Amino acid sequence: MKLWSRLKKNKIRSSIAYTIKPRKVKFEWQDSPIDWIPNQPFASYFINEINMILPAGEFWFCRLYNKVLPQISDEKLKQDVQAFIRQEAMHAQAHNSANKEYLSQRNIDVSRNLALMDFLFGKLLADKPLDLTVPKVLEHQWDLFRLGIIATVEHMTCVLGKYALDNTEWEKMGADPAMLDLIKWHGAEEIEHRTVAFDLYRHLGGGYIARYYLSLVVIAAVLGLWVDGAAHIMKQDDRFKSIQPSLFKPWIWREWLSISKRNHQVLPSPLWLISQQFGYLVPWYDPVHEAKTEDAIAYLDRSPASKRAMLKVA
């Protein structure tokens, strides 16, 4: 039985032939306004919350992937995972810079939101959840559950990456160039490494049925954390103080739906995000078909931050 399990785990290999390329970038925030999309304070705050959601999770990805790295038997997949780790670490650093050099400098208190994410990824989903030791016999299953969460999240980030890359409305509306580049650069790299999490999850024994409950967990967590965090930073702005946005008040959900209904390219609808998860649940799902690597590389070649990084290296 153990031999069959080992063979089943290791038959899944890297599904891409190209090499994933980490890029060391830096964004400049001194000229970025809080309403980085002009005349769209709700959408600006809502997307800004991504800066607080992502860093702790991305560093957690890196820690878990480094832990399971010795278990990978396919050399190409191991290279993919190592490049993924380097990209995710850079993503976390870039969003942290937005928190420290952009939002905090403009008197937005991000500490409560960051503390919540640190608890989720540093305590609840740690190797020792809530400081409890996982029995040796269950350790692989705990790792596999967490790898499944990452694979599910990475499907969602690929969908959002394609949405950002295809978005033309933000630029037409005069969006801040630094924030626009951060979102599109990150989205492009999510497309570039979109196969890695799913390949690794299956390589180490992840099954099909688990995708259903993992999708429910991830959708509920992502939407809940996103709305809760956005509400917290919005109510620090005088324009929203009388409303007192909250995860548990209908206003923020209605406003999100209303804006996305008027113009899907200003904010993606929560219903649209949920619908995009259905593709992940079909047995023949393959992240290769979710987006085009060529589109991602084309943007990364012209990204201002990527160009600055290349000039620095040169």
Side-chain angles (χ1 to χ4, degrees), residues 145 148-149 151-152 198 201 206-220 274 277-285:
F145 171 73
I149 288 176
T152 310
F198 191 64
Y201 174 60
Y208 167 63
I209 298 300
R211 286 189 233 166
Y212 284 86
Y213 67 76
L214 288 168
S215 291
L216 288 173
V217 169
V218 166
I219 288 169
I274 293 168
Q277 200 62 30
F278 295 150
Y280 185 69
L281 301 178
V282 298
W284 51 88
Y285 168 77

Side-chain angles (χ1 to χ4, degrees), residues 45-61 88 91-92 95-96 98-99 103 110 112-121 153 156-157 160 186 218-231 233 256:
Y45 274 117
F46 209 82
I47 297 170
N48 268 332
E49 170 56 19
I50 291 173
N51 290 309
M52 284 153 271
I53 287 178
L54 293 175
E58 288 167 325
F59 282 135
W60 173 72
F61 291 3
E88 290 294 324
H91 296 171
H95 288 286
N96 266 336
N99 289 325
L103 294 171
V110 300
R112 173 263 193 193
N113 292 8
L114 295 178
L116 179 60
M117 302 311 296
D118 285 341
F119 171 78
L120 176 61
F121 293 107
V153 168
M156 188 175 283
T157 56
L160 286 169
H186 189 162
V218 166
I219 288 169
V222 168
L223 294 183
L225 289 166
W226 199 349
V227 170
D228 175 69
I233 58 174
W256 185 6

